[in-house]
Amino acid sequence: MTASQHPTTAEELRGAGLRVTAARVALLETVRHGDHLGIEAITTGVRARVGHVSLQAVYEALHALTAAGLVRRIEPAGRSPRFEGRVGDNHHHVVCRSCGVVADVDCAVGEAPCLTPSDNHGFSIGEAEVVYWGLCPACSTAHSSEHP
Ligand SMILES: [Zn+2]
Ligand SMILES: [Zn+2]
């Protein structure tokens, strides 16, 4: 018995109740191999894998995979949305104010941390979103050499 065998991307789509299409498989692989990609970069990656796919098909696949929980959409305020394949752990992000680069921030404790606010106002909390804003190392280096 090979218990540790990983399902293929197509099997994961099927397991999430989705119809398997070449565009969806390519999109999930693109998002997982990328690092918080925007729609343009995802479209480029999908087309590199399966040839021409319409922008509409990319949006449709992103919507389906996000709704199924295979892809997570993050929307830093005032920035275009980014997509990632790291889902289910409620991790946070740090965003560079200057160039917009996004990096993952793990919480120190727990599987899905930060779900215990000081006052939940009677809500049943399912997700918490924390965005740290600052300057990435490249931008803060550039910034400090501009203003010595
Ligand atoms: Zn930066
Ligand atoms: Zn992330």
Side-chain angles (χ1 to χ4, degrees):
M1 200 170 100
T2 50
S4 63
Q5 210 176 13
H6 291 290
T8 65
T9 307
E11 285 166 354
E12 285 187 73
L13 289 170
R14 226 172 273 123
L18 294 172
R19 195 165 46 88
V20 177
T21 67
R24 286 177 174 178
V25 170
L27 187 137
L28 186 53
E29 289 176 351
T30 300
V31 168
R32 284 181 173 169
H33 286 115
D35 185 15
H36 306 99
L37 299 177
I39 289 186
E40 272 179 38
I42 290 170
T43 305
T44 304
V46 169
R47 286 176 180 164
R49 282 176 160 79
V50 293
H52 185 79
V53 173
S54 72
L55 197 56
Q56 193 189 335
V58 170
Y59 276 101
E60 184 277 332
L62 266 178
H63 180 80
L65 296 190
T66 305
L70 293 171
V71 167
R72 180 176 172 194
R73 174 190 176 108
I74 56 168
E75 285 180 273
R79 304 269 174 185
S80 53
R82 307 295 192 93
F83 296 86
E84 68 180 334
R86 184 179 164 184
V87 297
D89 67 349
N90 195 52
H91 70 274
H92 307 311
H93 295 100
V94 58
V95 183
C96 178
R97 285 192 185 283
S98 181
C99 69
V101 73
V102 178
D104 287 335
V105 178
D106 294 329
C107 271
V109 288
E111 280 289 294
C114 302
L115 295 180
T116 312
S118 54
D119 181 355
N120 67 14
H121 298 277
F123 284 54
S124 158
I125 308 286
E127 189 181 0
E129 185 175 280
V130 177
V131 178
Y132 303 93
W133 292 90
L135 285 175
C136 73
C139 289
S140 51
T141 304
H143 196 256
S144 58
S145 58
E146 272 168 35
H147 307 279

